[in-house]
Every structure is written in structure tokens, then in C-alpha cells.
Amino acid sequence: MPPQKNSEKPDAPRGQRYSRLLKVTKRLILMTLCCLLVVGAFFGATLVFGKKFMVSWACFGCGLIGGFVSIQQRLKKIPDEELELLSRSWFQILLIPIYGGVFALVLYLAFLGSIIQGAMFPKFFVPEFSVPPSTQDMKNLFTSTYPAAGVDFAKLIFWSFIAGFSERFVPQIISKSTSDEAK
């Protein structure tokens, strides 16, 4: 019997890690569903009541999904200390996907501002501004700006997911564009 007790001790940390992985995975699934429901509700409300397809909500939602997928993919490689923190805190689990959604919106603005251009990136139909610009022009910018074609919409959704999935992607774009401006 004593050899069994000694052989169980080394497995205890592994069992604890496995239990934390399960807990975080369950929370990730629950949080993903909740976030998608909330974003879907806002998205649906603007589509049904406002008769507008809000591209920004689609970008934010895809960034959230990218953030959740990123965490799930990295879970097995996360150090025990960080895994313990994630297993104790709902906020920590939600923080990375929220950043992903925000980064997707920043990337969307970079596309609209033509900061990022090329064949791999979406093109948009942007309504003309009056001179001088009005409040209605700003409203139209966010409610009547759409990808130029279906292919451009697909590119936008893809890049929005990437913005959420890769935590460093958008910050690197910001760093590069600010260093290019300084030149």
C-alpha cells in the first residue's frame, strides 16, 4: 500500500492541472456562447429595427471568436500559474477575447482609413462627406459603409478573426504605421 501513496503524489499536480484545464475550457465555452448571444442580440436589433447591417458588430463578434479560439488553442501550453489564474477568474478569461474584439474594430478603422491596403485586404464603399462635414456624415460613415463586394466582406471577416486570434497583430500594425509616419 505505501508504494501506491507515493506513486499517487506525482500524479496529483497533473490531476490538478487537468481539472483546471477542464474548468477553464467549460468557462471558455460558456463565455463564448454568452458573448456571441450579446453581440448577436445587438447585431440582430440593428438589423431588424434599424434596417442596417452593422459591419462593426460583425467585426467585433469575429474578433471575440478569434480571441476565444486563441485561448483554447494555447491552454495546454499555458504555465501552471497562469492556468490557476484563469481557473479562478471569469474576468481573466473574458479579457483576451474582449481585446480581440477591440483589435478587430481598430483593424476595421485602419481598413476604412486606407492605412492598410492591398489585394489581400478589403475595399469599402464609403459615403461622401459634405463640406464642412456634418453629424449626419459621421452617422452615415458607421451605418452606411459597407465592403465593396462579397469578396471584400469575406476578407473583412477573415482579418477580424485574425485580429482577435493573434494578440500582437494589430499592435504591430499600429507600431509600424506610427514609425512610418515618423519617417
Side-chain angles (χ1 to χ4, degrees), residues 17-26 75-76 83:
R17 180 172 175 78
Y18 181 74
S19 141
R20 287 180 182 149
L21 281 171
L22 283 177
K23 186 175 187 179
V24 171
T25 299
K26 287 177 186 176
L75 265 183
K76 291 185 180 176
L83 185 59

Side-chain angles (χ1 to χ4, degrees), residues 17-18 21-22 24-25 28 70-80 83 86:
R17 180 172 175 78
Y18 181 74
L21 281 171
L22 283 177
V24 171
T25 299
L28 279 171
S70 174
I71 291 174
Q72 186 63 43
Q73 292 240 317
R74 294 181 299 161
L75 265 183
K76 291 185 180 176
K77 298 175 187 168
I78 290 177
D80 288 337
L83 185 59
L86 286 174

Side-chain angles (χ1 to χ4, degrees), residues 9-170:
K9 286 184 181 179
D11 291 337
R14 192 176 349 174
Q16 190 176 33
R17 180 172 175 78
Y18 181 74
S19 141
R20 287 180 182 149
L21 281 171
L22 283 177
K23 186 175 187 179
V24 171
T25 299
K26 287 177 186 176
R27 285 184 177 182
L28 279 171
I29 291 169
L30 184 62
M31 295 296 273
T32 302
L33 290 175
C34 289
C35 285
L36 286 176
L37 286 174
V38 169
V39 170
F42 280 115
F43 183 77
T46 58
L47 187 60
V48 171
F49 298 114
K51 307 286 188 236
K52 296 283 184 183
F53 179 87
M54 296 298 288
V55 177
S56 56
W57 284 112
C59 291
F60 186 78
C62 288
L64 276 174
I65 293 169
F68 280 116
V69 169
S70 174
I71 291 174
Q72 186 63 43
Q73 292 240 317
R74 294 181 299 161
L75 265 183
K76 291 185 180 176
K77 298 175 187 168
I78 290 177
D80 288 337
E81 299 80 28
E82 190 175 342
L83 185 59
E84 182 180 355
L85 177 65
L86 286 174
S87 70
R88 288 185 190 190
S89 172
W90 286 88
F91 178 75
Q92 289 295 327
I93 290 175
L94 189 56
L95 192 60
I96 292 170
I98 293 289
Y99 281 153
V102 170
F103 287 155
L105 289 175
V106 170
L107 186 63
Y108 173 57
L109 293 175
F111 290 145
L112 289 181
S114 298
I115 294 169
I116 303 171
Q117 299 179 44
M120 289 182 17
F121 304 112
K123 294 175 183 58
F124 292 88
F125 166 77
V126 180
E128 293 290 323
F129 272 42
S130 58
V131 178
S134 67
T135 303
Q136 187 61 39
D137 291 328
M138 291 304 297
K139 182 179 176 186
N140 288 342
L141 176 67
F142 292 106
T143 60
S144 300
T145 298
Y146 292 103
V151 169
D152 295 305
F153 181 71
K155 289 176 185 178
L156 177 64
I157 295 303
F158 171 78
W159 287 113
S160 295
F161 178 86
I162 295 298
F165 185 81
S166 175
E167 293 173 15
R168 296 299 314 146
F169 180 66
V170 172

